[in-house]
Amino acid sequence: MGAPGPVPSSAGEPHASVMDREEADRALARLGAEYEAIETSLLALQDHAGRRLLEGAELTGTTQARWAATEQVITLLWAHFDVYTAALEEARELRARRRWPTREELVELTELLCGDAIALPDSSTMADATAAVSELSPTLTGPARLSERLSLKELVERMNGWYAKTLNVVVAADAVWSALPARIDLLSAELQRTRSLAHSVGVRPGEHTAGDDLERITAELTSLRAEVISDPLAFWTPAASGSSAPGGGRPDTARYDREARALEDVRREIEAVLAVRQDAERRLLQLRDVLSRADRTLTEARHARGEVLAKIAASEVPAVSGSPTALHEQLAAAADYRRRSQWHRLSPLLDSLEDRAEDELLRARESLTAVTAPLAVRAELRGRLDAYKAKVARHGMAEDPLLLERYDAARRMLWSAPCNLRAAEHAVLRYQQAAADVLVPRQAGSDSGSGPGSGLTSGSGSEGRTDHRGEG
């Protein structure tokens, strides 16, 4: 049900002189219309859904205090309305005595309709209600006093102020009850679904932080709903603009919003754990493959180190570490978590293992590269020596005694075991220099258009590679 409209303002201004018959009739007509509007508003307030809920609820805190005062004010409103009704009836009876009222009757009508002719009752009930008005809204102008006299206009203005404050309490409570409990119930239903999903993936209180968060959110929503039902006005934020319209403000949803965000965070975390369950086997297989490749690479590095130590002399060969035992143990623990459906524990372990396994494979590859570096140097020197020999042969100088001597010396060093890389490199350089000394004079007299491939240093390491025997 919508909120009833405010009591209309009083009709007619006080007259400085006695009203005539027409003025009195117009004033009575306006007062009659005003009476109908006031009665309609008070009856609408009486039937308002928020008022019925407030009457039947077990209230606490702010709402209990304000509703107790509001009920007193409603009693006071009806008492004032009864006074207003009696005054209007009296004026109507006075006017109905004769068609053309006498001057004395017009003076009495003028006083009744415009003067301070309304006497408020003096009773204990009125005193209690007056105190309630002050408690509900101490800033209201014109609080009722015992045995006072008012004009009809002043009486209606006072009723307007009380009615607005009373309606504001009813509308605010109804707005909070209409907004928050339903939203809390929906969030609680989502919470139950999340709890079931969490239980299915092993997320339980005391074992996982998300399980503890779900317990806290459950307790907070239960408490919040109970507080909203018993003390709705504690969750009402008045309009910042200070609007005097009934219900000017909004429900305070800060606590609800905080728990909704917390539940969303937990839900995302549980979905991540669920994704781990669905993808666990594939990730475990990939981890086994990465660690297996790392083991094979380290085994190859150890074999290569033995070969280098046997074939290369005077070379520092780094040691090769053993297999990553700790990673294999953690991989076994991850497989055990999967068998036991402990997905919340498997998720962070898999994340850690994937990073560390990739690092271990990279380390194994770097170790193999470092160990085999001397062999790579020897292979590069062999290739360079063969390339220069092929170059010399193309120019018909293969049988030059000096070149043959230096080639044989370099070859013996590179194909012997253990190989002294420094001495072998020096021997290759000596052969290169001798080849350059022999070929440069010959090239100077040759055709300059022999092409870019005729230069001594343009040879490729793959050219003229010969099949040498007795390799170390």
Side-chain angles (χ1 to χ4, degrees):
M1 176 185 293
V7 179
S9 60
S10 177
E13 296 292 333
H15 289 257
S17 58
V18 177
M19 293 188 296
D20 58 22
R21 183 174 67 90
E22 288 78 9
E23 289 175 330
D25 288 342
R26 287 195 297 271
L28 281 171
R30 288 192 296 270
L31 288 170
E34 182 179 72
Y35 170 85
E36 295 294 334
I38 294 173
E39 184 179 41
T40 299
S41 296
L42 289 176
L43 290 175
L45 175 62
Q46 196 76 9
D47 292 336
H48 195 282
R51 179 182 179 277
R52 293 198 301 270
L53 289 172
L54 284 165
E55 283 184 335
E58 295 182 3
L59 303 175
T60 60
T62 301
T63 306
Q64 183 184 41
R66 293 190 65 186
W67 177 240
T70 299
E71 285 188 305
Q72 295 290 329
V73 173
I74 291 174
T75 300
L76 192 58
L77 273 171
W78 280 107
H80 278 58
F81 180 69
D82 290 342
V83 172
Y84 180 85
T85 301
L88 180 60
E89 289 297 324
E90 183 181 354
R92 284 172 172 171
E93 289 176 2
L94 179 59
R95 176 64 185 88
R97 288 177 185 175
R98 52 181 58 85
R99 182 178 180 183
W100 299 97
T102 65
R103 177 172 177 76
E104 289 76 11
E105 289 173 338
L106 288 174
V107 169
E108 188 176 353
L109 269 175
T110 300
E111 177 62 23
L112 186 60
L113 297 177
C114 302
D116 295 337
I118 309 302
L120 295 178
D122 181 4
S123 67
S124 59
T125 301
M126 188 68 71
D128 294 340
T130 302
V133 170
S134 300
E135 181 179 350
L136 181 63
S137 182
T139 59
L140 279 176
T141 57
R145 298 183 301 274
L146 300 183
S147 302
E148 62 179 326
R149 301 185 69 84
L150 300 173
S151 66
L152 283 174
K153 180 176 183 298
E154 292 171 336
L155 181 63
V156 172
E157 287 177 349
R158 177 177 292 173
M159 292 171 66
N160 274 335
W162 294 346
Y163 178 84
K165 295 298 180 182
T166 299
L167 185 60
N168 189 61
V169 170
V170 172
V171 170
D174 186 48
V176 172
W177 277 333
S178 298
L180 273 174
R183 296 174 68 179
I184 293 171
D185 290 343
L186 289 174
L187 190 61
S188 296
E190 177 64 23
L191 173 64
Q192 291 305 316
R193 288 192 292 270
T194 305
R195 284 168 63 95
S196 298
L197 182 61
H199 190 271
S200 70
V201 295
V203 175
R204 297 179 177 84
E207 298 180 2
H208 194 278
T209 55
D212 297 334
D213 289 340
L214 286 174
E215 289 297 301
R216 184 196 61 77
I217 295 171
T218 301
E220 175 63 13
L221 288 181
T222 302
S223 173
L224 178 61
R225 193 182 194 285
E227 291 177 35
V228 167
I229 294 299
S230 66
D231 192 8
L233 295 182
F235 297 88
W236 180 254
T237 302
S241 60
S243 171
S244 60
R250 60 177 180 81
D252 180 5
T253 61
R255 285 174 61 184
Y256 167 86
D257 294 337
R258 183 173 62 250
E259 299 311 315
R261 288 192 298 269
L263 180 58
E264 178 64 19
D265 292 340
V266 172
R267 187 184 62 79
R268 283 197 295 265
E269 185 173 353
I270 293 173
E271 286 179 349
V273 174
L274 183 61
V276 171
R277 182 178 71 174
Q278 295 170 342
D279 208 25
E281 182 61 26
R282 180 188 61 82
R283 293 174 71 183
L284 284 171
L285 287 175
Q286 287 181 344
L287 276 171
R288 292 190 183 100
D289 178 64
V290 171
L291 289 179
S292 177
R293 282 186 288 158
D295 287 342
R296 290 195 302 270
T297 303
L298 287 175
T299 300
E300 185 180 354
R302 284 191 290 271
H303 291 162
R305 185 173 187 273
E307 181 182 358
V308 169
L309 290 175
K311 294 182 178 182
I312 306 297
S315 178
E316 293 293 334
V317 184
V320 179
S321 64
S323 178
T325 305
L327 290 183
H328 285 285
E329 291 176 351
Q330 290 180 344
L331 182 60
D336 185 60
Y337 288 156
R338 180 182 177 277
R339 285 192 299 272
R340 297 183 181 183
S341 300
Q342 295 180 336
W343 311 110
H344 61 290
R345 294 182 177 177
L346 179 60
S347 176
L349 182 56
L350 284 179
D351 292 339
S352 173
L353 276 174
E354 285 170 343
D355 292 338
R356 295 175 61 191
E358 290 295 337
D359 291 342
E360 183 61 28
L361 179 58
L362 178 61
R363 185 182 66 82
R365 288 171 174 171
E366 291 174 347
S367 179
L368 177 60
T369 300
V371 165
T372 57
L375 294 176
V377 172
R378 187 185 67 169
E380 190 274 334
L381 289 174
R382 286 178 174 181
R384 194 194 310 173
L385 181 64
D386 286 345
Y388 280 116
K389 181 183 179 183
K391 184 72 70 176
V392 168
R394 283 201 301 270
H395 287 280
M397 302 297 293
E399 301 302 324
D400 184 89
L402 179 62
L403 293 178
L404 286 173
E405 177 188 351
R406 291 191 177 181
Y407 174 79
D408 289 339
R411 187 181 184 285
R412 280 195 303 273
M413 291 183 185
L414 287 172
W415 270 266
S416 62
C419 173
N420 189 322
L421 286 179
R422 294 190 179 214
E425 183 178 13
H426 181 66
V428 171
L429 289 174
R430 290 179 70 237
Y431 177 72
Q432 177 184 351
Q433 184 61 49
D437 291 342
V438 170
L439 294 177
V440 168
R442 184 181 183 88
Q443 290 177 350
S446 65
D447 187 4
S448 60
S450 57
S454 61
L456 180 63
T457 59
S458 64
S460 170
S462 62
E463 294 178 353
R465 186 71 59 87
T466 57
D467 184 14
H468 298 287
R469 299 179 182 178
E471 177 181 338

